[in-house]
Amino acid sequence: MKFFIDTANLKQIKEYQELGILDGVTTNPSLLAKEGAEPIEQLKKICEIVKGPVSGEVIGLTTEEMVKEARELIKIGSNIVVKIPFTKEGIKAVKILEPEGIKTNVTLVFSQNQVLLAAKAGASYISPFIGRLMDSGQNEIDMLKETMQIIEKYKFKSEIIAASIRNARHVIESAKMGVHIATIPFDVLEKMFKHPRTEEGIKSFLNDWEKLQKQLKL
Ligand code: E4P
């Protein structure tokens, strides 16, 4: 399973890049707005840190606008993936961009039908927003399961990104069903690392070690 980090924060990206477990980054207009920096410059900096795919999203709503923006975005770095919102205009943009060799990530996907349509259009990545589905009371796990069945049944080339992840359980559920990628927020990654029993265990091992050292000195 590949791990992307879902943030535009350079410190957070650097921290996980240094751990050596990061395969890519996803951003969106809200995440970039949170950082308050010029978005293109920020994406450039992210591409300098991470060699894997870095998603940057288009703002335009028409196919023409999206295609124009995508052709500009890819100038940022060879690892830029263009995030396209799931709309008819977006699907048309995917059909134009993918044959040009521009990788797309169809975003704001909330149903299995949308997954099927984005896969058929040839998107490199498709991002079902499982957290937002959960927030609206729908079964996000079943949605993801059926998404994987569809993708695997027809051997679509699209990679599925479990997006809008809210908790560490979402990562486990995604991994169990073989989802290709999870894009995980920093706070969830931190929670995946921590377990009170690990901390407790280290403390007691060190205490016992110190006791032994004292005994040996007597
Ligand atoms: C995915 O690519 C999106 O950036 C992200 O996962 C959105 O998540 P949110 O629902 O936490 O905003």
Side-chain angles (χ1 to χ4, degrees):
M1 183 183 219
K2 284 181 251 179
F3 279 0
F4 289 2
I5 190 166
D6 195 29
T7 183
N9 182 281
L10 301 179
K11 196 169 162 271
Q12 295 179 350
I13 294 169
K14 264 185 209 147
E15 186 171 334
Y16 274 87
Q17 173 63 21
E18 278 163 18
L19 276 171
I21 57 155
L22 207 58
D23 299 296
V25 179
T26 51
T27 70
N28 62 41
S30 305
L31 291 171
L32 282 161
K34 213 165 137 186
E35 299 311 310
E38 202 287 313
I40 300 292
E41 287 309 312
Q42 192 75 358
L43 283 169
K44 258 186 210 155
K45 287 180 184 159
I46 297 172
C47 287
E48 278 160 20
I49 304 169
V50 179
K51 294 295 152 240
V54 173
S55 287
E57 192 159 338
V58 295
I59 303 300
L61 297 176
T62 67
T63 303
E64 204 188 347
E65 285 165 347
M66 290 184 203
V67 168
K68 199 169 163 231
E69 271 184 74
R71 290 180 183 145
E72 285 305 310
L73 278 170
I74 57 152
K75 292 180 187 159
I76 294 173
S78 56
N79 50 341
I80 280 283
V81 171
V82 181
K83 250 185 173 180
I84 306 275
F86 184 91
T87 57
K88 280 186 182 168
E89 292 293 300
I91 289 302
K92 278 196 263 172
V94 171
K95 291 287 292 177
I96 296 170
L97 295 168
E98 287 283 344
E100 284 180 20
I102 299 177
K103 288 202 156 78
T104 59
N105 172 1
V106 176
T107 187
L108 291 164
V109 167
F110 292 94
S111 75
Q112 297 85 320
N113 279 318
Q114 290 178 329
V115 168
L116 186 52
L117 290 162
K120 223 176 142 42
S124 294
Y125 302 96
I126 304 171
S127 296
F129 273 36
I130 60 170
R132 292 194 195 187
L133 266 179
M134 181 188 78
D135 295 344
S136 58
Q138 284 172 270
N139 191 325
E140 78 284 17
I141 304 303
D142 283 355
M143 187 269 176
L144 206 51
K145 225 176 253 169
E146 289 184 18
T147 285
M148 289 314 294
Q149 282 169 4
I150 292 165
I151 293 295
E152 281 162 7
K153 192 119 198 152
Y154 290 99
K155 299 186 172 58
F156 282 118
K157 70 156 195 177
S158 314
E159 285 188 84
I160 300 300
I161 307 181
S164 180
I165 282 181
R166 291 277 183 270
N167 52 56
R169 191 76 219 166
H170 274 159
V171 182
I172 297 172
E173 293 298 338
S174 303
K176 269 164 54 184
M177 55 182 97
V179 173
H180 310 103
I181 303 157
T183 189
I184 314 171
F186 181 80
D187 64 313
V188 176
L189 280 166
E190 291 287 279
K191 284 184 187 128
M192 287 167 68
F193 260 93
K194 283 188 187 132
H195 197 287
R197 299 304 300 265
T198 305
E199 284 149 34
E200 222 174 87
I202 292 172
K203 222 174 179 177
S204 77
F205 284 155
L206 288 178
N207 274 343
D208 292 342
W209 189 256
E210 271 167 36
K211 270 187 225 154
L212 173 69
Q213 300 309 307
K214 277 181 195 152
Q215 275 170 23
L216 294 175
K217 275 182 201 155
L218 289 178

